[in-house]
Amino acid sequence: MPNYQHQALKIYNSLTGEKEKLTSITPGNIGMYVCGPTVYNKVHLGNCRTFISFDLVFRYLKYLDYKVRYVRNITDAGHLENDAEEGEDRIAKKARLESLEPMEIVQKYTVDFHQILATFNNHPPSIEPTATGHIIEQIEIVKSIIDKGLAYEFNGSVYFDVLKYNETEEYGILSGRKVEELMANTRDLTGQSEKKNPQDFALWKKAEPQHIMRWPSPWGIGFPGWHLECTAMSTKYLGNRFDIHGGGMDLKFPHHECEIAQGKASTGEEPVNFWMHANMLTLNGKKMAKSTGNNILPEEIFTGNNPNLSKAYSPAVARFFMLQAHYRSVLDFSDEALQAAEKGFYRLMEAYKNISQLPFSEQSSFDVDAFEQKCFDAMNDDFNSPVLIAHLFDAVKLINSVKAGKAELTQKDATKLEQVIGDFVFEVMGIHKNQSDVQQTSTGETKVSELVEMLIDLRNKARANKDFATSDKIRNQLIEMGIELKDAQGKTEFSIKS
RNA sequence: GGUCUCGUGGCCGAGUGGCUAGGCAGUGGUCUGCAAAACCAUGUACAGCGGUUCGAAUCCGCUCGAGACCUCCA
């Protein structure tokens, strides 16, 4: 029997503001769309948090034995830097700054995006469509919205008529905004003369002569509006109505609001059952953002080359750090917090590694089945990874107690425990196994292990002779290299720390 | 200015009407040649002020503080 039939997953739905039991449209199948990045710059750690959050969702849904189709777009069409009529699109601007073709920019930063997410051990999505690959689909949607009378053309551009839409539907349903309030609070942007009303948003924009990314359309040469690509690609691959749509909190308004309006206007259907929004990663208490420069790059974490960092951290540690907070909470990044996460992480990994060497007993003083269900329960409660991690540390305590002879596990339970912890840590949380292994296993590292074993042997001989000067010298010099010796039950163990 | 969210012990961070969250750091102990690790023990925590309740960190109101969105952003 598939796991989803006996595990009741609840997801916080941004649309209703409540945790709701997940019921998929097609039994056993989930369609999930997540807004991807605009590839005009390197991804920063804040971007990564969102994609790691949805990777957790993707992984857990798969662990529940759902067949998941996960679609995440690449925005490679240039969009304007603000909602004004004039202006340069951000990809074209970056191309000018780097003296490259726009598509070279797109390629360069798409590759960067993939590499970084792979380093964090994210699964690739099932389909990763690009905006420029779906111009025809986008034009078709614009046509259908015009046919419904909910969009109008002006001077080669097409705008969505929010007021007209709001007569029969509710614009602002997702973000809790009212059109009247929006009208009253609109910032006075210049150059919005083409729109009937400031809330209207572009479905298609006329390309200025200097605009490099341009396509022919029934309304002339232009390019699609930013909100449109997600509607086009989500409906193409997941249908007019699908299960889950995710994205960063900052996309809730206006982007996702506009997607709902476009979807409803063109198909008449409510496009999404569950809206999920991942919260921001902050640095110095402020949202990380490319535009303000308040951000930190993943590679800076891995090298430690950033003024905010005292040392380098592995991708697995950074991922673990993020999963220690719930995806809907703001998480503040700091070196101190990362260090604390690292220590806990290695303690967890050390315990996991020790399970296979535990002494077995006739009876168990720990209910492994109940433990497994607690892990499921944590994840079933809106993907509560911090609670899952708290449970894992209960198991760490148990393992260490068994090792110390203060608790008992049968062989069967030890095997089961190893499987459960392994599943949740590596499959669900997506911790990269090789990065988490304190004692590395590659060839070079094996030689290191052999060398360390030899030194341990020498040291123990010195200790047996009460030559503590020699034994301490060996231990102290090894710790300086990051190799830590631990004397336990007459046997010396070691761990290599990065 | 408008809308919304949040304020938890030295730090990070769950929980959300009564039952120890967890991690890191600290303190005492066990073990050890000494360490380390591990185990055991250990914290006047829920921004402030009122209110509801037998009982509130948890619900309501106000005050203060922080953040997000309202313009491209994960």
Side-chain angles (χ1 to χ4, degrees):
Chain A
M1 185 162 71
N3 275 332
Y4 63 81
Q5 287 187 0
H6 50 94
Q7 299 295 342
L9 172 60
K10 279 186 169 176
I11 298 180
Y12 180 87
N13 190 349
S14 300
L15 192 60
T16 58
E18 283 173 7
K19 285 182 197 172
E20 298 169 19
K21 189 177 179 307
L22 174 70
T23 316
S24 60
I25 293 167
T26 309
N29 289 261
I30 297 283
M32 173 163 86
Y33 187 90
V34 171
C35 291
T38 302
V39 280
Y40 73 101
N41 220 332
K42 290 184 176 181
V43 275
H44 63 248
L45 202 63
N47 303 120
C48 294
R49 186 190 179 198
T50 297
F51 299 118
I52 288 171
S53 294
F54 287 107
D55 188 55
L56 178 76
V57 171
F58 183 36
R59 284 169 173 276
Y60 189 58
L61 290 171
K62 287 203 290 192
Y63 193 65
L64 290 180
D65 301 317
Y66 281 110
K67 186 179 173 195
V68 188
R69 180 179 292 168
Y70 174 21
V71 182
R72 187 183 65 207
N73 65 295
I74 293 279
T75 298
D76 60 346
H79 295 295
L80 300 185
E81 293 198 288
N82 55 51
D83 203 25
E85 302 283 300
E86 305 280 323
E88 195 173 15
D89 86 60
R90 53 191 63 253
I91 289 173
K93 182 180 180 184
K94 189 75 177 176
R96 183 168 55 76
L97 290 173
E98 296 193 19
S99 299
L100 294 171
E101 269 291 313
M103 270 300 159
E104 285 182 297
I105 292 295
V106 163
Q107 177 69 8
K108 180 178 171 182
Y109 292 113
T110 301
V111 168
D112 172 75
F113 176 65
H114 287 156
Q115 276 179 344
I116 295 293
L117 289 197
T119 305
F120 278 116
N121 204 30
N122 273 22
H123 282 321
S126 325
I127 301 176
E128 192 167 44
T130 60
T132 56
H134 296 75
I135 300 294
I136 292 167
E137 287 84 348
Q138 296 182 66
I139 290 173
E140 289 305 310
I141 292 176
V142 177
K143 281 192 205 161
S144 74
I145 297 175
I146 291 176
D147 288 346
K148 303 263 170 50
L150 292 168
Y152 56 91
E153 186 198 345
F154 189 98
N155 189 27
S157 293
V158 181
Y159 296 97
F160 190 94
D161 193 335
V162 170
L163 285 183
K164 185 86 182 293
Y165 172 82
N166 200 239
E167 286 170 11
T168 52
E169 301 289 344
E170 200 181 336
Y171 182 81
I173 189 169
L174 177 67
S175 55
R177 281 158 219 257
K178 304 232 178 309
V179 171
E180 309 80 66
E181 286 170 6
L182 286 169
M183 306 253 300
N185 290 303
T186 300
R187 292 194 193 177
D188 192 26
L189 291 171
T190 51
Q192 292 194 325
S193 55
E194 291 186 358
K195 295 181 186 176
K196 283 189 193 168
N197 145 4
Q199 271 60 56
D200 292 353
F201 54 90
L203 296 173
W204 187 264
K205 291 281 279 187
K206 178 184 180 178
E208 300 298 325
Q210 74 276 16
H211 204 98
I212 300 165
M213 293 208 173
R214 52 207 293 138
W215 294 267
S217 79
W219 317 282
I221 302 290
F223 57 97
W226 173 46
H227 312 302
L228 193 59
E229 61 182 67
C230 290
T231 298
M233 295 185 269
S234 62
T235 52
K236 173 160 182 165
Y237 299 109
L238 298 171
N240 290 347
R241 182 169 194 154
F242 53 94
D243 298 297
I244 298 173
H245 188 128
M249 201 77 101
D250 48 355
L251 298 183
K252 198 171 180 183
F253 187 89
H255 185 57
H256 292 157
E257 201 69 69
C258 295
E259 274 192 64
I260 292 177
Q262 289 166 348
K264 268 191 181 167
S266 67
T267 70
E269 290 183 63
E270 182 81 50
V272 176
N273 280 354
F274 284 82
W275 280 94
M276 293 182 69
H277 290 96
N279 218 139
M280 301 292 103
L281 181 66
T282 60
L283 181 62
N284 303 317
K286 293 244 165 44
K287 177 188 171 185
M288 281 193 201
K290 290 171 191 165
S291 52
T292 59
N294 183 238
N295 62 45
I296 189 164
L297 296 175
E299 66 201 42
E300 294 171 339
I301 303 279
F302 310 150
T303 61
N305 184 21
N306 183 288
N308 290 295
L309 296 172
S310 65
K311 65 186 281 295
Y313 299 92
S314 77
V317 166
R319 185 176 176 112
F320 183 77
F321 162 73
M322 293 191 217
L323 294 178
Q324 271 189 315
H326 186 90
Y327 77 90
R328 280 194 290 119
S329 297
V330 174
L331 173 63
D332 192 54
F333 179 90
S334 72
D335 187 62
E336 206 183 356
L338 207 52
Q339 258 185 47
E342 181 180 52
K343 288 189 181 172
F345 175 70
Y346 281 127
R347 199 160 88 90
L348 173 63
M349 289 306 129
E350 196 77 32
Y352 172 74
K353 197 185 68 189
N354 284 330
I355 299 175
S356 57
Q357 285 138 39
L358 292 179
F360 304 129
S361 305
E362 294 294 308
Q363 298 197 328
S364 288
S365 53
F366 187 80
D367 188 337
V368 179
D369 289 331
F371 167 75
E372 180 181 34
Q373 189 53 49
K374 278 165 88 175
C375 292
F376 272 112
D377 289 345
M379 289 303 291
N380 288 341
D381 185 15
D382 194 29
F383 309 96
N384 198 327
S385 55
V387 168
L388 169 64
I389 290 171
H391 294 327
L392 292 173
F393 277 105
D394 287 342
V396 167
K397 191 161 272 193
L398 179 266
I399 292 161
N400 289 332
S401 292
V402 172
K403 200 181 166 203
K406 291 181 176 174
E408 298 184 316
L409 271 183
T410 63
Q411 181 166 10
K412 185 164 165 272
D413 279 350
T415 306
K416 169 88 176 170
L417 187 65
E418 186 174 15
Q419 172 251 311
V420 173
I421 295 176
D423 278 4
F424 277 94
V425 169
F426 303 117
E427 300 297 319
V428 175
M429 285 168 53
I431 298 298
H432 195 112
K433 216 166 181 177
N434 291 342
Q435 289 170 3
S436 62
D437 204 356
V438 181
Q439 283 172 24
Q440 307 281 334
T441 49
S442 62
T443 329
E445 301 291 346
T446 307
K447 297 250 185 269
V448 170
S449 296
E450 287 167 7
L451 277 169
V452 174
E453 291 295 347
M454 189 184 84
L455 287 167
I456 286 172
D457 196 44
L458 283 173
R459 173 170 168 271
N460 283 339
K461 286 205 169 74
R463 290 172 72 208
N465 296 329
K466 302 235 185 282
D467 178 6
F468 297 123
T470 303
S471 66
D472 286 356
K473 189 177 181 208
I474 292 172
R475 185 176 62 198
N476 291 338
Q477 293 202 342
L478 282 174
I479 195 78
E480 277 174 29
M481 293 178 234
I483 298 170
E484 186 177 61
L485 301 189
K486 289 168 282 189
D487 297 326
Q489 273 103 50
K491 188 171 173 286
T492 303
E493 299 172 350
F494 74 97
S495 48
I496 301 170
K497 307 239 156 102
S498 52

